[in-house]
Amino acid sequence: SAEAASHSRRAVLHGIARQLNASNDQLLASCTAAWLREVKRVRNSAAKKKENLANALRRISNSEEVLRGSCVQAWRRVAAARRKAAKASSKKVLASMQESASTCFFGWQQVHVQETERKQKLASISRSCFAQDQALLEASLGCWSQSVKEHRQQLAQRLGTASRRVLMRG
């Protein structure tokens, strides 16, 4: 009878331990799955940011080329018109051409400086976003780790309480 009661207690303890292990495994699987989804989302977000940055830089570069081409083309039209007028007064035409060219290139220089500043700002924003992504990932991992520790402590307390109850009955 004492042996049967002891066997019964061991069976109950074994059943409780199996249930708690199953709960622990389910919680761990759930946390891990959620964490993996978050990591994928962060990676996809980072990849999208890099792609958008590359597209923006490509558009900036293309706009600079177009602006330069437009300036040169406009200068050529002015130069052609000035050559025709040069027959009448070559000194006056030369001064006008120089002024047109310097105005055009001064405008191009200002746009180039603005584009350079914009590129620097985009790079700064990109670095800031990457730092925020890293901080979010670290915070997520810290919370997940704390949750697992708390769950393990609760599990240990439950096992300890269940073991004491079984021993007190006997």
Side-chain angles (χ1 to χ4, degrees):
S1 162
E3 189 176 314
S6 175
H7 179 67
S8 175
R9 282 186 210 128
R10 278 185 278 177
V12 167
L13 282 176
H14 183 67
I16 291 172
R18 261 188 291 139
Q19 288 176 350
L20 290 177
N21 280 337
S23 295
N24 185 35
D25 290 345
Q26 289 173 350
L27 178 63
L28 190 57
S30 175
C31 288
T32 303
W35 178 75
L36 285 175
R37 283 192 302 273
E38 184 62 22
V39 167
K40 285 180 183 178
R41 187 193 63 75
V42 168
R43 284 183 181 163
N44 288 342
S45 175
K48 188 67 175 175
K49 286 177 188 174
K50 284 182 183 178
E51 181 182 330
N52 288 341
L53 180 62
N55 288 339
L57 292 176
R58 197 170 20 260
R59 283 193 299 269
I60 289 169
S61 176
N62 289 342
S63 68
E64 185 178 332
E65 292 294 325
V66 168
L67 179 63
R68 199 175 317 155
S70 296
C71 285
V72 170
Q73 187 177 15
W75 184 77
R76 284 182 181 171
R77 282 194 298 261
V78 168
R82 301 294 184 212
R83 278 190 209 115
K84 289 179 184 177
K87 293 178 184 176
S89 63
S90 63
K91 288 184 181 182
K92 207 179 210 182
V93 171
L94 182 60
S96 176
M97 285 176 58
Q98 287 174 343
E99 182 181 302
S100 295
S102 76
T103 301
C104 181
F105 284 111
F106 178 74
W108 173 80
Q109 181 185 18
Q110 287 178 330
V111 169
H112 181 70
V113 167
Q114 291 171 351
E115 293 297 331
T116 302
E117 290 172 355
R118 187 181 305 158
K119 286 178 186 178
Q120 290 171 346
K121 288 177 184 177
L122 282 173
S124 174
I125 290 170
S126 178
R127 285 190 301 273
S128 174
C129 288
F130 179 76
Q132 290 172 358
D133 287 347
Q134 288 300 110
L136 177 63
L137 184 59
E138 288 175 12
S140 296
L141 287 174
C143 288
W144 175 76
S145 174
Q146 183 63 30
S147 176
V148 168
K149 285 178 184 176
E150 289 173 2
H151 178 72
R152 285 183 178 165
Q153 288 173 354
Q154 290 172 356
L155 183 63
Q157 287 174 352
R158 284 186 209 156
L159 280 175
T161 303
S163 297
R164 276 187 250 124
R165 280 189 206 146
V166 171
L167 289 176
M168 290 171 79
R169 287 184 196 161

